[in-house]
Structures are given as structure tokens and as C-alpha cells.
Amino acid sequence: MQDLTFYTNPQSRSRITHWMLEEVGEPYETIMVPFGAEMKAPVYRAINPMGKVPALRHKDQIITEGAAIITYLADAFPTAGLMPANRGSFYRWMFFGAGPLEAAVTNKALGVEVPPERRGMVGYGSMDTVLKTLEAHLTSSPYFCGDNFSAADVYVGSQIGWGLRFKTVEDRPVFVDYWSRISARPALARSTALNDALLPKG
């Protein structure tokens, strides 16, 4: 029995966590959880009461929420080198990805427009503000936490990559260049192949 058990569905944000697991390089068991009744059943809700994926069991710990899982893995397996020395920068960008970026992208995908006079009520203000913040940072730094790839690039970088693919993030040159750089990592190729193999046939 592996110390790490990963609950996933390849048609979800779980792909981000899968990439992180491949970057970490520790053995793990994968349990595919189908959408619908099985994901909402008591057996799985004992793992994640929200009835959603991803979730991770590490020995006697259960972690849910993508950003939390990725942060946990970076801390739990320091030899992988995915937790940068600059923790302040790491936490800043992880929470930016889990907060303003995800909220702005989700609202855009849903066609939700926040009136200018109400922008103070939402944490991200406006999509343009979010994108300008990311653009300015990635113009001055090759990765989110400096000169080296980290777990923050797995999490926030994945959101940029998905945004470019589904047109919820503008294809500004700095985003395209950044995604091209991080998407070439072998761990992402491995996780993509593993996820694609889990997709329903036909």
C-alpha cells in the first residue's frame, strides 16, 4: 500500500495535482472517482465532504483543495525542490491563483460582469487588473518565485495554460512564452499521458 493515495477524475482540475505528483516523484496510488452518484456517495464523502476531486491521502492525513494539496506536497517532500526559499513569494502567488485569478476566470467563463461601481466588493477587482498583475510579474521574473521552477508554477501556471486554451486568459506574449517554457516539463507530459489513459473510451 502506498503512503500517497490520489483521488481524481481526468476531466477536472485534478490534472493540476497529478502534474504536481509527477514532479514530486514519490510513488502514489491513483483512484479514479466517476462524476455523479459515486463522487457524491457516503464512501467518497468520507474523504471529501464536498463530493469533488481532487483529494489526497498521505498516511493519516487527508488534504482537499488543489492549492492546499500542492502546497502540502511541496512541504512534505522537500527533496523535490518545489518549495522555494522565498516563502513569502510562494504564498503570495499561490493565494493569488486560488483567489483573484480563479474567481476572475470563473466569472468570465460564466459571463458574469462586475459593474465598475461594484468592483470593490470582489477580491479581484477586474479581469484586466488580474492580468496586468500577472503580466508585470512574469515580465520581470522567469518563474513565479524567481529564477527556479516551483510548486507555484504548477498551480498558477496551470491556470494560465488552461486560460490560454479556453480563451479565458488573453494570449498576451508574456503568458504564451511562460506557458511554453513550463509546459515543456517532462512531469507534465507524464501526467498528461496518465490522465488521457483514464478518459472514457469512445
Side-chain angles (χ1 to χ4, degrees):
M1 183 175 179
Q2 306 291 359
D3 285 344
L4 288 167
T5 303
F6 173 45
Y7 300 86
T8 184
N9 187 297
Q11 296 173 298
S12 74
R13 291 180 177 88
S14 295
R15 283 182 174 250
I16 303 175
T17 300
H18 213 154
W19 178 8
M20 181 64 179
L21 283 164
E22 286 298 313
E23 291 282 357
V24 167
E26 294 290 328
Y28 60 92
E29 177 186 6
T30 299
I31 296 180
M32 220 285 280
V33 186
F35 290 117
E38 189 167 334
M39 196 175 285
K40 303 300 183 182
V43 171
Y44 183 65
R45 283 187 183 272
I47 302 297
N48 186 349
M50 293 287 288
K52 64 186 183 71
V53 289
L56 182 76
R57 185 194 295 275
H58 180 217
K59 299 180 180 178
D60 61 346
Q61 296 285 325
I62 294 176
I63 310 97
T64 65
E65 312 313 314
I69 295 171
I70 287 168
T71 300
Y72 179 88
L73 288 169
D75 256 336
F77 300 98
T79 57
L82 296 166
M83 176 60 81
N86 187 341
R87 294 292 183 92
S89 181
F90 175 80
Y91 290 125
R92 175 191 178 186
W93 292 110
M94 287 295 288
F95 279 83
F96 187 89
L101 178 56
E102 180 162 351
V105 168
T106 299
N107 277 352
K108 181 174 181 178
L110 293 172
V112 175
E113 292 286 344
V114 179
E117 69 275 11
R118 296 294 182 91
R119 287 176 180 171
M121 296 179 65
V122 295
Y124 64 86
S126 71
M127 173 62 91
D128 185 58
T129 301
V130 169
L131 295 183
K132 282 181 177 176
T133 300
L134 290 170
E135 185 176 36
H137 184 67
L138 292 175
T139 297
S140 63
S141 179
Y143 300 103
F144 272 102
C145 297
D147 294 331
N148 298 309
F149 180 89
S150 75
D153 296 291
V154 175
Y155 184 67
V156 189
S158 290
Q159 293 186 63
I160 291 173
W162 282 100
L164 291 171
R165 179 178 176 183
F166 293 108
K167 309 301 182 187
T168 53
V169 168
E170 294 174 11
D171 57 349
R172 301 180 185 185
V174 67
F175 299 150
V176 174
D177 290 346
Y178 169 73
W179 177 243
S180 177
R181 184 161 59 253
I182 69 168
S183 63
R185 293 184 66 84
L188 177 56
R190 291 195 302 272
S191 68
T192 299
L194 290 167
N195 275 283
D196 289 348
L198 291 174
L199 289 170
K201 303 299 187 289

